[in-house]
Amino acid sequence: MLRFISFALFVLVGITSFSQDEVSFKTTDSLTIYATDYFVSPENPYVILLHQENYSRGEYKDIALKLVKLNYNCLAMDLRVGGSVNGITNETASEIHQKGLYPTYLDALNDINAAITYIQTRSKKKVILFGSSFSGSLAMIEAQKDTMVKAVIAFSPGEYFLPQFNVENALAGFSKPILAACSPNEYSYVKELLSKVPTKNKTI
């Protein structure tokens, strides 16, 4: 059966062979993070896939396979805030709620940091953070301070953490590539959000 599954995955993405494993690791504040690890090779960089609010790692079921085909390793995470999507429940958030804990969006920065630490046991390449909504903003915040982050892809980022934290100000002088994607209605807002990022480092 395992041989058949490996063959099916091989056929599904074309010529790229990879493994797909359910993994878990601890954060610095002792929470367990659950994720799916799509692993091609230690020679390839990782894309860390971060879901939007009320979602799970299931948001990236299809996208992860496309990135694998492009020879990226992927780690699709269940952040500590979320729900379910595409038939996959956010195991991290479920476990935390069972303990009576209700973390904030900003608390999930610990989850991203733990994922980067986990990835260093798999590949020494710098990572790309791929976030959606609040996690797109978290990806940019983490990238600003983490030398192991090479670049960021952010779908519909925004000021999700006011008044506690201002994303626009935190991105002043951002020195890594950012691709920010949004709807036409969001364009002016996202442009303002990234106004302090040097033009050469951003594409909106």
Side-chain angles (χ1 to χ4, degrees):
M1 177 61 72
L2 289 176
R3 183 177 298 177
F4 172 78
I5 292 173
S6 295
F7 176 75
L9 291 173
F10 179 87
V11 171
L12 181 64
V13 299
I15 61 172
T16 303
S17 178
F18 71 101
S19 64
Q20 180 176 331
D21 300 299
E22 304 307 312
V23 300
S24 63
F25 44 86
K26 292 287 189 179
T27 65
T28 55
D29 54 350
S30 301
L31 297 179
T32 301
I33 303 299
Y34 297 91
T36 303
D37 188 348
Y38 302 83
F39 187 72
V40 179
S41 166
E43 301 303 316
N44 296 359
Y46 263 91
V47 180
I48 300 180
L49 301 169
L50 310 166
H51 60 77
Q52 61 183 294
E53 55 262 59
N54 301 319
Y55 275 26
S56 72
R57 66 189 186 278
E59 181 176 354
Y60 292 100
K61 284 175 65 176
D62 295 331
I63 292 174
L65 296 178
K66 295 178 186 296
L67 291 170
V68 163
K69 193 172 182 178
L70 296 172
N71 285 317
Y72 287 98
N73 303 312
C74 292
L75 187 73
M77 300 175 58
D78 279 348
L79 298 169
R80 66 182 68 193
V81 287
S84 62
V85 67
N86 293 330
I88 297 178
T89 298
N90 186 320
E91 295 181 75
T92 304
S94 294
E95 188 171 291
I96 290 171
H97 291 165
Q98 288 172 10
K99 296 178 180 179
L101 303 175
Y102 294 91
T104 68
Y105 289 156
L106 271 177
D107 291 333
L109 279 172
N110 289 320
D111 309 347
I112 300 172
N113 187 262
I116 293 171
T117 300
Y118 164 80
I119 283 170
Q120 289 178 321
T121 69
R122 305 282 276 161
S123 171
K124 300 302 181 185
K125 302 283 187 178
K126 292 187 176 184
V127 305
I128 298 169
L129 298 180
F130 189 140
S132 177
S133 186
F134 85 96
S135 69
S137 295
L138 290 182
M140 295 188 295
I141 295 168
E142 180 68 25
Q144 178 76 310
K145 63 185 179 63
D146 197 321
T147 59
M148 284 304 297
V149 179
K150 180 179 181 179
V152 174
I153 300 168
F155 287 171
S156 298
E159 293 285 7
Y160 295 96
F161 321 118
L162 295 173
Q164 185 178 359
F165 190 94
N166 184 287
V167 176
E168 180 182 340
N169 290 338
L171 297 180
F174 196 92
S175 61
K176 300 170 184 177
I178 295 177
L179 170 62
C182 61
S183 69
N185 289 339
E186 295 173 307
Y187 179 78
S188 295
Y189 172 74
V190 173
K191 184 178 179 181
E192 178 64 24
L193 183 74
L194 271 63
S195 61
K196 296 180 181 179
V197 176
T199 301
K200 65 178 181 179
N201 293 329
K202 63 186 175 185
T203 301
I204 306 173

